[in-house]
């Protein structure tokens, strides 16, 4: 087979054989090497979070990939194909002009102030007059997860990307990675147990907030999310107790200790 | 593998199961695996016996130098052809429906090939000398081509399957794994391309294996260049039967898990592709048979009726292979979409049976027939060790498939129901 | 930088193991029964290779001399060395055979005809056996612990490019010589 | 085109002519062959299909009703010359057609044991070592030192007593020649009726050239075997010409 090995001759058959074998093997190795070096490049240039989200998004269940305009009736049942990043979406502006079809009321007891913008991973963003923005867990998110035992916040100076990992929190064996609502640089941490978790300097320009929900649209989405939470919990042995249409308790974790919180939190915070 | 309404909190392996799908309890899963593990154990024991004492544990002999294993190897490699053909259809002919089964197809391909190589290592009996073929290959031998292509293709399949594995819930917690998966996935068409190239040659050279045997007039065929017609017929039949096998395996998986794993349209697409390829193959196979009976064989001094004068290998075998297992499923599969989809498994099974019969005829029947005029027709019954080795390989396939079904997302459409 | 140093150290370590450590593990050093000086026999005794190493009648084995042929000259010690004394007292006088380790002994499945190479092809002994015939001392013998064969069949050099005569007796060495001389033997020409 | 007519550049084309009318079926050639080539005595498990048999003797019955007669047919490797079926199929160059002697050489040292050559051989002249060869205590002393023993898991076949060819080459070399001439394989030596003639098809004056009209089995395959047969009996010629896989119908049903 190889020059120098007993039985090899520089005959056409051997040359064709050797080159075909070498070609295939080198294509295979080059493919692996290219993938490896591109991975290194992506990780170094900070694109890892965005790419990981891309893969996660593909694997999300169908009902978690609905377009934002599906909730208020502008585009019923439409699936998002851009990883919840409406900043460059061509159809988002068109749908935004369509009148909502369904009346929206916020579920009882939940607070979603109009001053805040909301992200599909249950975080809110509050732009500040100084050009920074505060980030925290929204009301439903806070009720689902309750008081975390451990919170791992990114160090100031860390660059966040939209839908990338913002911070981790753990409680009672359940562990979630909270998705970042903004692209920007972490400036400061909030007080432990306080309203906001991160102060971020967002990317410049108007498009920085275009993908976030607000007002009636946010309320429609929260409605759908509450329903989804009910369905998630209803299939548990204790779930039936919840489906009474009443107000959500402040700490669901405590109220339903036997529910599969790892699963439910992962689903609510768009973890795979 | 079976159904479950909810994954209980107490489930030990809950953290490895993909989110959004339901899986049975570990206890039930273990119960499902137990018989397969026993079968695997029996196979390993038989393999150990063969490697310890030599092949006297088999019923092969100097006349039946190739036995059960060559038939089964040829058959399961033909079935595994679905892996490369689906890749080609998906990435080059853009049949997007096949995205629903491509991961399963690649895994089935990998299992078929690795299983075949394992059986080969046991039934050749000298795994320690396997490197001889790579170091001193005879470039004129069909078996050399087979060895090289299968080894390389096994590597390609392993790399192709890597992305699915990296999407396991625990692996994906390491962000660079997902990034690697994403980057590799962008390059998959390259791998599908070389996979198709390799498959073309080894499916073909497996056919050539018998077609070049000048000393076995029953198997010897006319050649185009260096390749006998069986080279091309094997490639075509693997392409024809690959999608059918995939259809069967997906149906079986649906039956075992009691879930709908893919949309009906995927079955229709698989069946149609299979039907068209099968029609093409059976037509060429008929022409080849006529040429062989009337020209090739007579030139070597052998009259065609002589081959079929031995019971039970009568002429019926030819009609069953080409007619019942050829044209019938071909026409049926081509009408997919117009006929009841849930019945498509029947023609798919017929098509697979036809290709298996083709491999059987070319291997076992060839060896049974004597070439010398005074020699006898011989029969051969595999020993329990031979059967057990093969059973072990089947068990290996089922176990790996079940485990990976449980812990990775083999069917992307599973969650959408 | 640190990675580079670690890599280079690892590389050096692996190479050192492959070049030096592994042969130590693989080969067992065995001394020859006596220190034998080929040179002195050729120069002072004005002998030739064939004086002691006779080609057998069937042409196959050149032969290691028996003690009796040593005794023809060494009935009494011919010098004052220790080896000389041992030869006479331990071997020649009691007529015991010397257990010489044969450097160039080939595996069982190899057949080599000295007659074809010496009589017909008129090759010199040095063309295969190198300068061993003019060495002043018997070099140590290394036995492969796995196969039991002599290390000299492989030869001392790891990189087998531009081998000099006598540096290896592997199949490829035989083959390249046959190729140079344009004589093919086929597999069973040299194997049995 | 038969082996007898073909001229080639091969210096020697060793072959045989076996006179079927002289063969008494005594089996001396089979024993001599096994002893010469270090074939281990058959173990209890062995039968005629899974033992090592470099040379076999078949019994042939005249299928025609009139003049029922029996002939014995010694068969070994036929040393096919043209498109030798076993050479091209071997995946690792363990089989070759020797350019010096025309002998089809089998190298057990290089053999992987895939047995593809065995399926390729139309004469079923190859054997596989299905188990470890073993010699009863004391019998190792009878081993022929000129033939290397083979291990389990490799294929072997007749090579016209290569050890004897080597001995002839060595003997020639002692006299300063490279040509081994005509040597005598063990079966030829053992045959009490001298039914086997060994010689060189290239030698126009040799014994093979003078052996008259000969035939080969399965000549239709075009492999040009160098072992050929002669017989004065028509039914043997007819049987050889029939080439086919099936015996005549009446015998099959009878």
């Amino acid at each position: 087979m190889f020059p120098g090995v007993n039985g090899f001759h520089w005959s056409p058959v051997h040359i064709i054989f050797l080159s075909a074998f070498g070609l295939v093997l080198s294509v295979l190795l080059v493919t692996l090497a290219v993938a490896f070096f591109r991975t290194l490049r992506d990780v170094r240039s900070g694109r890892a979070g965005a790419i990981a989200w891309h893969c996660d998004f593909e694997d999300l269940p169908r009902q978690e990939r609905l377009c934002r305009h599906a909730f208020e009736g502008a585009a019923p049942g439409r699936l998002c194909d851009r990883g919840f990043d409406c900043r460059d979406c061509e159809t988002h502006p068109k749908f935004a002009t369509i009148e909502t079809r369904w009346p929206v009321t916020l579920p009882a007891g939940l607070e979603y102030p109009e001053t805040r913008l909301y992200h599909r991973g249950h975080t809110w963003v509050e732009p500040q007059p100084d050009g920074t923005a505060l980030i925290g867990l929204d009301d439903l998110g806070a009720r689902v997860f309750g008081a975390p035992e451990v919170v791992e916040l990114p160090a100031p100076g860390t660059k966040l990307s939209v839908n990338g990992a913002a911070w981790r929190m753990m409680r009672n064996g359940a562990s979630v990675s909270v998705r970042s609502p903004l692209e920007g640089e972490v400036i400061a941490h909030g007080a432990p147990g306080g309203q906001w978790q991160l102060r971020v300097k967002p990317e410049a320009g108007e498009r920085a907030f275009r993908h976030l929900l607000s007002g009636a649209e946010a309320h429609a989405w929260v409605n759908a999310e509450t329903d989804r939470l009910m369905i998630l919990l209803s299939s548990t042995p204790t779930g039936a107790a919840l489906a009474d249409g009443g107000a959500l308790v402040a700490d669901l974790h405590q109220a339903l200790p036997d529910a599969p919180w790892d699963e439910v939190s992962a689903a609510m915070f768009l973890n795979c | 593998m079976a159904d479950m309404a909810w994954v209980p909190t107490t489930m030990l392996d809950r953290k490895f199961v993909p989110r959004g799908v339901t899986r049975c309890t570990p206890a039930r899963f273990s119960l499902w695996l137990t018989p397969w593990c026993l079968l695997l154990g029996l196979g390993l024991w038989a393999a150990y016996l063969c490697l310890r004492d030599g092949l006297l544990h088999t019923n092969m002999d100097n006349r039946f130098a190739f036995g059960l294993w060559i038939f089964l190897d040829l058959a399961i490699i033909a079935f595994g052809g679905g892996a490369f053909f689906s890749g080609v259809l998906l990435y080059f002919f853009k049949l997007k429906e096949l995205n629903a089964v491509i991961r399963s197809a690649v895994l089935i391909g990998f299992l078929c090939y690795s299983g075949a190589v394992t059986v080969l290592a046991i039934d050749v009996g000298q795994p320690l000398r396997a490197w001889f073929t790579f170091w001193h290959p005879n470039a004129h031998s069909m078996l050399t081509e087979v060895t090289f292509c299968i080894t390389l293709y096994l590597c390609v399949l392993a790399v192709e399957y890597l992305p699915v594995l990296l999407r396991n819930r625990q692996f994906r917690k390491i962000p660079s794994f997902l990034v690697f998966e994403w980057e590799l996935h962008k390059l998959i068409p390259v791998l599908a391309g070389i996979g198709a190239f390799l498959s073309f040659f080894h499916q073909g050279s497996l056919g050539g294996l018998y077609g070049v045997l000048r000393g076995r007039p029953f198997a010897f065929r006319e050649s185009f260049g260096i390749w006998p017609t069986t080279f091309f017929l094997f490639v075509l039949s693997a392409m024809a039967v690959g999608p059918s096998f995939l259809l069967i395996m997906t149906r079986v998986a649906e039956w075992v898990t009691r879930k709908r794993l893919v949309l009906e349209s995927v079955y229709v697409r698989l069946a149609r592709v299979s039907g068209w390829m099968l029609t093409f193959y059976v037509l060429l196979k008929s022409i080849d048979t006529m040429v062989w009976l009337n020209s090739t064989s007579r030139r070597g001094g052998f009259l065609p009726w002589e081959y079929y004068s031995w019971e039970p290998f009568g002429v019926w075998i030819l009609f069953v292979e080409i007619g019942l297992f050829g044209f019938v499923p071909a026409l049926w599969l081509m009408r997919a979409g117009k006929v009841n989809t849930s019945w498509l498994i029947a023609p798919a099974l017929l098509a697979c049976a036809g290709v298996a019969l083709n491999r059987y005829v070319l291997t076992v029947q060839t060896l049974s027939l004597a070439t010398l005029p005074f020699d006898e027709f011989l029969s051969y019954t595999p020993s329990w060790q031979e059967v057990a080795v093969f059973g072990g390989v089947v068990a290996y396939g089922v176990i790996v498939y079940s485990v990976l079904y449980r812990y990775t997302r083999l069917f992307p459409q599973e969650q959408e129901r | 930088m640190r990675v580079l140093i670690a890599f280079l150290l690892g590389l050096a370590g692996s190479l050192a193991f492959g070049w030096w450590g592994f042969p130590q593990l693989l080969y067992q050093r065995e001394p020859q029964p006596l220190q034998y000086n080929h040179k002195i026999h050729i120069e002072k005794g004005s002998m030739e290779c064939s004086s002691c190493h006779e080609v057998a009648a069937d042409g196959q084995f050149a032969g290691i001399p028996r003690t009796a042929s040593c005794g023809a000259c060494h009935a009494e010690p011919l010098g004052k060395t220790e080896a000389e004394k041992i030869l006479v007292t331990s071997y020649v006088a009691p007529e015991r055979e010397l257990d010489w380790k044969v450097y160039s002994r080939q595996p069982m499945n190899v057949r080599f005809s000295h007659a074809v190479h010496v009589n017909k092809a008129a090759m010199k002994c040095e063309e295969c056996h190198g300068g061993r015939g003019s060495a002043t001392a018997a070099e140590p013998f290394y036995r492969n612990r796995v196969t039991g064969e002599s290390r000299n069949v492989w030869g001392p050099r790891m990189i087998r490019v531009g081998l000099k005569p006598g540096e290896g007796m592997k199949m490829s060495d035989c083959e390249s010589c046959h190729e140079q001389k344009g004589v093919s033997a086929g597999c069973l020409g040299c194997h049995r | 085109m038969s082996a007898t007519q073909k001229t080639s550049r091969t210096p020697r084309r060793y072959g045989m002519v076996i006179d079927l009318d002289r063969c008494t079926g005594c089996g001396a050639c089979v024993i001599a062959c096994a002893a010469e080539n270090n074939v281990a005595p058959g173990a209890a498990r062995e039968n005629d299909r899974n033992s090592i048999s470099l040379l076999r003797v078949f019994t042939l019955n005249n299928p025609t009703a009139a003049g029922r007669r029996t002939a014995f047919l010694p068969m070994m490797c036929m040393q096919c010359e043209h498109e030798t079926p076993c050479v091209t199929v071997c995946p690792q160059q363990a089989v070759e057609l020797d350019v010096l002697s025309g002998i089809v050489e089998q190298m057990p040292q290089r053999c992987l044991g895939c047995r593809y050559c065995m399926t390729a051989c139309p004469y079923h002249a190859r054997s596989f070592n299905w188990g470890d060869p073993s010699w009863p205590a004391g019998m190792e002393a009878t081993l022929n030192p000129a033939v290397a023993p083979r291990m389990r898991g490799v294929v072997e076949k007749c090579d016209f007593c290569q050890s004897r060819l080597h001995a002839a080459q060595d003997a020639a070399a002692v006299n300063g020649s490279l040509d081994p001439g005509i040597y005598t394989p063990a079966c030829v030596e053992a045959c009490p009726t001298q039914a086997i003639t060994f010689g060189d098809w290239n030698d126009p004056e040799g014994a093979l050239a003078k052996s008259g009209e000969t035939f080969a089995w399965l000549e239709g395959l075009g492999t040009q075997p160098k072992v050929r047969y002669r017989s004065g009996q028509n039914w043997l010629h007819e049987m050889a010409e029939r080439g086919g896989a099936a015996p005549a119908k009446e015998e099959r049903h009878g």
Side-chain angles (χ1 to χ4, degrees):
Chain A
M1 176 69 198
F2 307 105
V5 174
N6 156 267
F8 180 86
H9 308 284
W10 288 106
S11 61
V13 180
H14 276 109
I15 293 168
I16 292 170
F17 202 82
L18 186 66
S19 34
F21 174 65
L23 182 76
V24 170
L25 199 62
S26 48
V27 167
L28 185 62
L29 293 178
V30 165
T31 308
L32 272 177
V34 166
F36 181 75
F37 284 110
R38 283 184 178 177
T39 306
L40 273 187
R41 184 198 62 192
D42 294 340
V43 170
R44 289 226 175 113
S45 64
R47 293 177 59 220
I51 292 172
W53 162 248
H54 192 94
C55 296
D56 281 345
F57 182 74
E58 271 179 31
D59 277 354
L60 284 180
R62 186 189 172 94
Q63 67 274 15
E64 289 173 25
R65 277 185 283 138
L66 283 175
C67 170
R68 61 194 281 180
H69 299 292
F71 300 116
E72 21 81 340
R78 181 175 188 268
L79 289 188
C80 174
D81 55 0
R82 311 185 61 91
F84 294 154
D85 196 347
C86 321
R87 288 176 298 177
D88 301 317
C89 182
E90 286 158 12
T91 41
H92 166 57
K94 292 178 203 156
F95 282 123
T97 61
I98 299 176
E99 291 265 325
T100 57
R101 286 198 215 156
W102 301 317
V104 172
T105 47
L106 201 60
L110 288 181
E111 301 229 359
Y112 278 78
E114 301 266 347
T115 52
R116 290 175 178 171
L117 303 164
Y118 298 93
H119 179 253
R120 302 280 294 266
H122 289 286
T123 48
W124 54 255
V125 173
E126 199 171 276
Q128 299 294 303
D130 61 354
T132 62
L134 298 180
I135 299 178
L137 276 193
D138 74 2
D139 201 8
L140 190 60
R143 284 171 198 257
V144 166
F145 207 77
E149 287 155 5
V150 184
V151 179
E152 287 170 8
L153 294 174
T158 311
K159 298 260 189 248
L160 296 181
S161 57
V162 170
N163 298 320
W167 72 86
R168 285 196 80 78
M169 43 189 203
M170 274 160 263
R171 182 187 187 189
N172 196 17
S175 153
V176 292
S177 166
V178 178
R179 302 215 170 266
S180 166
L182 283 182
E183 187 164 316
E185 187 184 335
V186 177
I187 292 173
H189 293 170
Q195 273 263 311
W196 57 276
Q197 297 287 349
L198 296 176
R199 183 186 287 275
V200 170
K201 172 127 190 68
E203 62 173 328
E206 195 192 330
R207 72 188 284 278
F209 300 108
R210 190 182 286 165
H211 59 292
L212 298 172
L213 313 175
S214 62
E217 192 186 16
H219 292 174
W221 164 70
V222 174
N223 246 318
E225 284 292 281
T226 314
D227 288 349
R228 190 159 72 91
L229 178 65
M230 295 299 184
I231 291 168
L232 281 170
L233 289 173
S234 70
S235 50
T236 69
T238 46
L242 259 174
D244 56 358
L248 283 172
V249 291
D251 189 343
L252 283 167
H253 236 292
Q254 214 167 29
L256 293 168
D258 293 334
W261 283 109
D262 195 34
E263 290 283 312
V264 173
S265 326
M268 294 309 285
F269 291 96
L270 303 180
N271 282 203
C272 252
Chain B
M1 286 250 287
D3 67 313
M4 260 304 301
W6 179 257
V7 186
T9 326
T10 48
M11 210 164 97
L12 290 169
D13 57 350
R14 187 168 49 100
K15 292 194 170 160
F16 297 91
V17 172
R19 199 164 64 76
V21 298
T22 52
R23 295 288 182 262
C24 66
T25 58
R28 234 176 130 172
F29 186 60
S30 317
L31 203 65
W32 158 258
L33 286 188
T34 309
W36 298 108
C37 286
L38 291 177
L39 190 57
L40 180 64
L42 186 68
L44 288 174
W45 170 245
Y48 166 73
L49 286 180
C50 288
L51 292 178
R52 190 191 67 186
D53 302 336
L55 296 180
L56 45 92
H57 281 293
T58 69
N59 276 351
M60 289 187 278
D61 56 46
N62 294 337
R63 259 289 288 283
F64 273 99
F66 285 177
L68 179 72
W69 65 275
I70 190 81
F71 155 58
L72 292 171
D73 266 8
L74 293 187
I76 62 178
I77 282 187
F79 297 154
F84 91 87
F85 192 46
S86 320
V88 169
L89 291 175
L90 175 63
Y91 297 114
F92 297 102
F93 291 90
K94 309 282 179 206
L95 296 188
K96 293 284 179 212
E97 292 110 311
L98 294 184
N99 253 326
V101 284
I102 189 71
R103 295 180 188 175
S104 169
V106 169
L107 178 58
I108 288 173
F110 180 76
L111 293 174
C112 283
Y113 278 83
S114 52
V117 169
T118 313
V119 171
L120 208 123
I122 307 297
D123 277 325
V124 166
Q126 296 219 52
L128 292 180
R129 285 188 172 197
W131 61 276
F132 282 19
T133 309
F134 296 94
W135 201 240
H136 304 287
N138 174 10
H140 301 276
S141 172
M142 286 290 159
L143 203 53
T144 309
E145 209 173 299
V146 171
T147 313
F148 272 78
C149 290
I150 289 192
T151 315
L152 283 174
Y153 189 47
L154 199 54
C155 300
V156 171
L157 282 172
V159 175
E160 270 191 83
Y161 187 68
L162 201 59
V164 186
L165 203 61
L166 290 179
R167 283 192 168 210
N168 173 276
R169 225 168 117 190
Q170 295 303 314
F171 283 135
R172 72 190 310 155
K173 283 189 178 161
I174 304 161
S176 37
F177 274 26
L178 265 191
V179 177
F180 183 71
E181 189 273 327
W182 191 68
E183 290 292 359
L184 192 58
H185 201 263
K186 284 200 291 189
L187 298 169
I188 286 285
V190 178
L191 295 181
I194 55 169
F197 172 80
L198 289 170
S199 287
F200 178 80
F201 281 102
H202 79 245
Q203 294 283 0
S205 43
L206 276 173
L209 210 61
Y210 271 74
V212 295
L213 294 184
R214 174 171 291 276
R216 294 286 188 168
F218 182 71
F220 187 64
R221 294 291 191 279
E222 302 290 330
S223 317
F224 294 100
I226 56 170
W227 291 303
T229 54
T230 43
F231 180 98
F232 306 97
L233 290 176
F234 265 51
V235 179
L236 282 176
S237 57
M239 286 173 159
V241 85
S244 272
F245 188 66
L246 211 50
L247 190 155
I248 296 171
M249 290 308 288
T250 314
R251 274 273 186 248
V252 169
E254 285 193 339
W255 178 70
V256 174
T257 60
R258 281 173 235 160
K259 273 188 227 173
R260 306 303 305 272
L261 298 176
V262 299
L263 301 167
E264 290 295 295
S265 62
V266 177
Y267 287 116
V268 173
R269 175 64 80 181
L270 286 174
R272 279 214 192 129
V273 168
S274 197
W276 279 104
M277 294 305 299
L278 197 61
T279 312
F280 189 42
Y281 159 68
V282 179
L283 282 174
L284 289 183
K285 166 86 189 164
S286 312
I287 297 171
D288 176 64
T289 307
M290 296 313 288
V291 173
W292 163 66
L293 286 174
N294 293 307
S295 162
T296 321
S297 177
R298 280 174 199 274
R299 261 187 289 126
F302 288 80
L303 296 169
W305 63 263
E306 292 178 340
Y307 302 128
Y308 295 105
S309 58
W310 301 101
E311 298 303 331
F313 295 137
V315 189
W316 63 268
I317 212 164
L318 207 55
F319 288 105
V320 166
E321 188 194 326
I322 295 178
L324 181 61
F325 291 168
F327 280 115
V328 171
L331 296 175
W332 195 341
L333 286 168
M334 270 199 297
R335 285 180 50 78
K338 293 171 197 141
V339 295
N340 190 339
T341 314
S342 53
W343 281 102
L344 283 177
I345 193 166
L349 279 170
L350 284 181
C352 287
V355 169
L357 182 64
N358 174 260
R359 307 311 194 240
Y360 179 83
V361 164
L362 264 184
T363 55
V364 177
Q365 193 178 352
T366 302
L367 293 176
S368 303
L369 294 170
T371 43
L372 288 165
F374 50 84
D375 208 354
E376 307 167 298
F377 175 87
L378 289 181
S379 63
Y380 154 84
T381 319
S383 68
W384 75 263
Q385 289 94 334
E386 284 171 82
V387 178
V389 167
F390 181 70
V393 164
V394 171
Y396 146 81
V398 171
I399 292 169
V400 175
Y401 192 88
S402 304
V403 168
L404 288 172
Y405 168 79
R406 189 176 171 85
Y407 297 123
T408 61
R409 233 184 265 275
L410 276 188
F411 297 98
Q413 289 174 355
E414 180 186 356
Q415 65 206 4
E416 298 184 8
R417 293 176 179 266
Chain C
M1 193 62 203
R2 223 181 272 166
V3 176
L4 188 71
I5 291 171
F7 173 75
L8 288 177
L9 280 178
L11 186 70
S14 315
L15 286 176
F17 176 75
W19 238 276
W20 182 83
F22 185 67
Q24 303 298 313
L25 288 175
L26 186 61
Y27 295 105
Q28 179 175 354
R29 186 185 160 122
E30 292 178 4
Q32 294 285 6
L34 266 186
Q35 265 312 315
Y36 182 81
N37 189 335
H38 270 104
K39 193 174 184 179
I40 211 163
H41 285 80
I42 290 169
E43 288 180 355
K44 290 206 176 161
S46 57
M47 298 165 83
E48 287 176 5
C49 301
S50 56
S51 310
C52 300
H53 304 285
E54 295 166 21
V55 175
D58 64 2
Q60 284 204 23
F61 181 40
I64 295 295
R66 297 175 72 86
T67 311
S69 56
C70 303
C73 302
H74 294 265
E76 294 296 324
L78 292 180
K80 285 173 190 151
T81 60
E82 185 66 13
E84 193 70 28
K85 212 186 284 174
I86 296 172
L87 172 69
V88 174
T89 55
S90 307
Y91 295 100
V92 177
E95 294 183 6
R96 252 179 75 206
E97 292 301 327
L98 279 141
D99 179 26
W100 295 110
K101 312 279 191 286
V102 184
Y103 303 114
S104 39
R105 172 99 66 207
Q106 289 283 332
M108 199 195 277
N109 58 16
V110 179
R111 162 253 182 187
F112 182 85
S113 166
H114 273 93
V116 172
H117 291 83
V118 178
N119 293 11
K120 186 69 191 89
M123 286 171 69
K124 299 262 177 294
C125 303
E126 296 79 35
E127 286 184 51
C128 300
H129 295 283
R132 191 162 287 121
S134 51
T136 53
E139 58 187 84
F141 175 86
Y142 291 94
R143 187 183 300 283
N144 186 316
R145 288 179 212 262
V146 180
T147 64
E149 311 295 346
S150 159
R151 186 183 181 177
N152 296 79
V153 171
W154 170 276
R157 285 177 51 180
M158 284 286 169
I159 295 176
R160 304 186 65 76
V161 183
L163 286 186
K164 293 194 193 70
E167 282 192 325
M169 291 180 151
K170 262 172 70 70
M171 184 167 93
S172 55
D173 303 324
C174 299
E175 275 183 332
S176 60
C177 188
H178 271 246
E179 205 168 308
Q180 273 172 21
K181 306 211 161 161
V183 281
S184 166
C187 292
L188 292 187
C190 308
H191 281 286
R192 54 186 172 202
Chain D
M1 277 244 297
S2 77
T4 45
Q5 291 147 6
K6 198 182 169 216
T7 52
S8 104
R9 278 169 293 146
T10 309
R12 292 259 181 211
R13 282 162 60 238
Y14 290 116
M16 284 181 179
V17 170
I18 302 176
D19 192 333
L20 296 180
D21 298 347
R22 286 190 177 201
C23 179
T24 61
C26 70
C29 52
V30 178
I31 304 296
C33 172
E36 171 76 20
N37 290 296
N38 290 338
V39 174
R45 60 175 170 80
E46 285 185 356
N47 58 32
D48 60 336
R49 278 167 68 180
N50 60 21
S51 57
I52 302 295
S53 42
L54 311 182
L55 168 58
R56 295 166 301 164
V57 178
F58 290 94
T59 309
L60 305 187
N61 290 313
N62 185 355
T64 56
R68 183 168 276 278
R69 277 196 65 168
T70 296
F72 296 100
L73 174 70
M75 280 196 109
M76 64 288 282
C77 169
M78 297 282 124
Q79 317 290 353
C80 301
E81 181 140 309
H82 180 66
E83 299 201 17
T84 315
C86 50
V87 171
T88 45
V89 298
C90 177
Q92 59 268 319
Q93 302 174 332
V95 190
E96 69 175 21
L97 181 66
D98 187 33
V99 293
L100 294 178
S101 60
I103 296 174
V104 178
E105 297 182 336
Q106 170 73 23
M107 281 292 299
Q109 291 88 349
R110 178 68 70 75
C111 178
L112 176 71
C114 74
R115 312 187 286 285
Y116 191 17
C117 56
M118 297 176 70
T119 62
C121 178
Y123 301 99
H124 317 307
R126 294 171 153 270
S127 308
F128 184 70
N129 286 278
W130 296 97
D132 288 306
S134 65
W135 274 266
M139 225 186 133
E140 310 90 39
T142 66
L143 282 169
N144 179 357
V147 176
R150 283 80 57 194
M151 61 181 279
R152 169 233 290 178
V154 298
V155 174
E156 52 184 289
K157 70 167 196 78
C158 162
D159 52 15
F160 276 174
C161 286
Q162 197 76 22
S163 56
R164 293 184 174 225
L165 174 59
H166 289 161
Q169 282 169 342
D170 290 352
V174 170
N175 302 323
S177 160
L178 273 181
D179 181 15
I182 306 299
Y183 63 101
T184 312
C187 54
V188 179
E189 188 179 73
C191 181
T193 59
Q194 299 178 352
I196 312 177
T197 311
F198 180 78
D200 177 8
W201 288 112
N202 275 357
D203 183 359
E205 302 299 313
L208 297 188
K210 290 176 185 160
S211 56
E213 195 200 339
T214 58
F215 66 95
W217 295 93
L218 301 179
E219 231 163 342
L221 299 178
T223 60
Q224 299 178 7
K226 288 198 288 289
V227 174
R228 301 181 65 81
Y229 294 84
R230 52 176 290 170
S231 170
Q233 301 175 66
N234 259 342
W235 65 274
L236 281 171
H237 287 264
E238 279 165 20
M239 187 185 264
E241 275 160 25
R242 207 175 60 231
K249 283 207 161 166
E250 59 272 31
E251 193 192 53
R252 195 154 44 81
H253 297 298

